[in-house]
Amino acid sequence: MTNTILWTIVILTVLGLLLSLILFWVAKKFKVEEDPRIDEVEKVMPGANCGGCGFAGCRAFADAAVHAPNLDNNYCPVGGNEVMKKVADILGYQVTEKAPMVAVVRCNGSCQNRPVVNEYDGDMSCRVKAALYSGDTGCAFGCLGCGDCVNACQFGAISMNPETGLPVVDETKCTACGACAKACPKHVIEIRNAGTTPRNTRRVYVSCVNKDKGGVARKACTAACIGCGKCAKVCKFDAITIQDNLCYIDYAKCKACGQCVFECPTGAIHAVNFEPKKVEPKPVQPVEPVKKEAANE
């Protein structure tokens, strides 16, 4: 009995040693050498792991940046130009400063502009509502107002306006990670340039995604784009195109001159961060004294 126990212990010990040696050999044989610069790049990243860069997280971004020939296709929207300069210094690359991006809500269908025609009584989720029907209003394209975008934003940059029923983006907090845009089932939120240049934060965009014909769109929302094309005609930079009864402004071409804003008959085009125009008072015309007619004698 004692010999059986001893032999069992010896056999198990030998097997353990053999398996350990095999595992050690396999680990050495298939060991993957990791570039130490990956750790350096990851340290300067913001650590949000939001996926706004197109990768699973900051570690994945660092790995891609290290193995890329340049940084043209790699950009961290949360860290912005400051972080990208640090990454470029670590890798010995040149990086071009990019204009900051921001989330833009392309829906002007407030409670006043877009009357409610249906009553929804269910789970307050935009995705659930979109799966059930087109929405509470006559516009099948606009914001559903349940706030999925608010829940998706981990930076507290979006809130719902109780008066309009629409989400509002705080551009001072927005990192343009794109989580809100992905959460919106109606694709109302778009990530656009925050301005025409890194220093100029003026931007112009069509606050509508309704693709119905003009009369139908206007009936559903008084501030809808009707695809009339007046904005495209006055644009000197060919920044405006019309497709599926909807105008779209290419922020890469737009110079934020504001001409289209004044031309739009429904107010669907919005201008942000423009200084209010000073209205100069009209010169006062001198009043000529009234000549008294000579009394008849």
Side-chain angles (χ1 to χ4, degrees), residues 6-255:
L6 290 174
W7 275 110
T8 302
I9 294 173
V10 171
I11 292 171
L12 290 175
T13 303
V14 172
L15 284 174
L17 290 172
L18 287 173
L19 290 174
S20 299
L21 291 173
I22 292 172
L23 289 174
F24 178 77
W25 179 82
V26 170
K28 284 288 187 181
K29 181 71 175 179
F30 298 100
K31 182 181 179 181
V32 178
E33 295 291 341
E34 193 174 65
D35 196 317
R37 294 179 299 171
I38 296 176
D39 292 329
E40 296 181 35
V41 173
E42 186 182 15
K43 287 179 182 178
V44 301
M45 300 298 294
N49 293 312
C50 59
C53 57
F55 298 95
C58 294
R59 181 75 180 182
F61 174 86
D63 182 76
V66 168
H67 292 96
N70 52 59
L71 295 176
D72 294 345
N73 297 321
N74 296 290
Y75 186 78
C76 173
V78 178
N81 294 317
E82 184 178 350
V83 167
M84 291 309 300
K85 287 179 181 177
K86 294 179 181 179
V87 173
D89 290 340
I90 294 172
L91 303 179
Y93 291 154
Q94 296 291 327
V95 63
T96 304
E97 186 176 10
K98 294 185 179 181
M101 308 290 282
V102 69
V104 172
V105 180
R106 293 187 56 206
C107 180
N108 201 26
S110 62
C111 300
Q112 182 179 1
N113 296 335
R114 190 174 47 150
V116 176
V117 295
N118 300 311
E119 185 176 350
Y120 175 74
D121 185 14
D123 186 19
M124 291 304 292
S125 167
C126 295
R127 289 200 175 275
V128 173
K129 186 185 285 190
L132 295 175
Y133 71 134
S134 60
D136 302 334
T137 69
C139 178
F141 300 88
C143 174
L144 295 171
C146 294
D148 285 18
C149 53
V150 177
N151 298 329
C153 180
Q154 59 179 297
F155 303 100
I158 306 183
S159 60
M160 296 300 296
N161 187 325
E163 295 183 1
T164 62
L166 297 173
V168 179
V169 178
D170 184 347
E171 61 181 89
T172 61
K173 296 180 180 179
C174 180
T175 60
C177 67
C180 55
K182 294 176 184 177
C184 180
K186 293 292 186 178
H187 308 291
V188 167
I189 302 178
E190 180 186 7
I191 305 301
R192 295 174 63 90
N193 272 21
T196 54
T197 65
R199 302 287 180 259
N200 185 359
T201 59
R202 293 190 306 175
R203 60 183 179 274
V204 179
Y205 63 94
V206 179
S207 184
C208 182
V209 293
N210 195 324
K211 296 180 180 179
D212 286 330
K213 290 185 178 181
V216 178
R218 188 67 185 272
K219 186 178 180 180
C221 179
T222 58
C225 173
I226 57 176
C228 64
K230 290 184 177 181
C231 53
K233 291 178 181 178
V234 299
C235 182
K236 300 177 181 178
F237 308 101
D238 295 327
I240 304 178
T241 54
I242 303 173
Q243 187 176 1
D244 296 330
N245 308 308
L246 180 66
C247 294
Y248 181 79
I249 300 176
D250 186 349
Y251 56 78
K253 296 180 180 179
C254 179
K255 304 300 180 183

